[in-house]
Amino acid sequence: MVEKIVNDMIELVVKMQNYINLDIEDIKKARHEALLDRNDEKQIMIEQIAQYKQELNQEIVKEMQRGVDVNIYRDYVDNLENELKNLYKLNRKLAQIVEPIQKMYKDIVEDISDNNGGTVFNVTA
């Protein structure tokens, strides 16, 4: 059961890595709709990974209680850890691309707001 959970987690993590790579490409090509389309699915995958993590911990505890040497799962868990590290690196790369864009938009909104007396929109009725 531990092996299945780890394999399912790795599958999700790799899918998430692929999505982040697609996000990076879509940002570079200004395809914002594709980015937004993946967001919901990525959120579901994050929740699934968290659920699998909980299940994995429970299964490892069960194995230990049965007297199983859990070191037999070391390679599986190490592989999962490596994939999670790769996901973290990709996520940081995505953040480094998004952060300057976010700051630029924030600066534009602040400039417009400052030029309009503290409001972005001037509504007259």
Side-chain angles (χ1 to χ4, degrees), residues 4 6 14 29 46 63 113:
K4 182 184 180 337
V6 170
V14 168
K29 295 177 181 175
I46 289 168
E63 293 289 303
S113 176

Side-chain angles (χ1 to χ4, degrees), residues 6-58:
V6 170
N7 287 334
D8 289 347
M9 286 181 77
I10 289 173
E11 185 178 311
L12 273 174
V13 169
V14 168
K15 187 174 183 181
M16 185 75 108
Q17 290 170 358
N18 291 333
Y19 275 19
I20 291 175
N21 279 322
L22 289 172
D23 287 351
I24 291 168
E25 288 304 310
D26 286 341
I27 287 170
K28 290 177 181 177
K29 295 177 181 175
R31 294 187 299 216
H32 305 293
E33 284 186 36
L35 279 166
L36 295 174
D37 291 343
R38 282 190 295 274
N39 277 345
D40 290 337
E41 192 169 346
K42 286 190 304 187
Q43 182 60 40
I44 291 168
M45 288 190 300
I46 289 168
E47 292 168 8
Q48 288 174 325
I49 290 169
Q51 180 63 37
Y52 276 132
K53 180 184 173 228
Q54 197 172 26
E55 289 176 25
L56 179 61
N57 288 336
Q58 291 170 353

Side-chain angles (χ1 to χ4, degrees), residues 3 21 75 81:
E3 295 161 355
N21 279 322
D75 289 340
E81 184 179 355

Side-chain angles (χ1 to χ4, degrees), residues 88-104:
Y88 176 78
K89 288 176 189 174
L90 278 173
N91 204 40
R92 281 188 49 86
K93 182 178 178 181
L94 177 63
Q96 289 172 340
I97 293 169
V98 171
E99 242 177 272
I101 295 169
Q102 182 181 16
K103 183 176 178 355
M104 178 188 68

Side-chain angles (χ1 to χ4, degrees), residues 100-111:
I101 295 169
Q102 182 181 16
K103 183 176 178 355
M104 178 188 68
Y105 285 132
K106 182 178 180 250
D107 291 345
I108 290 170
V109 169
E110 286 176 357
D111 287 346

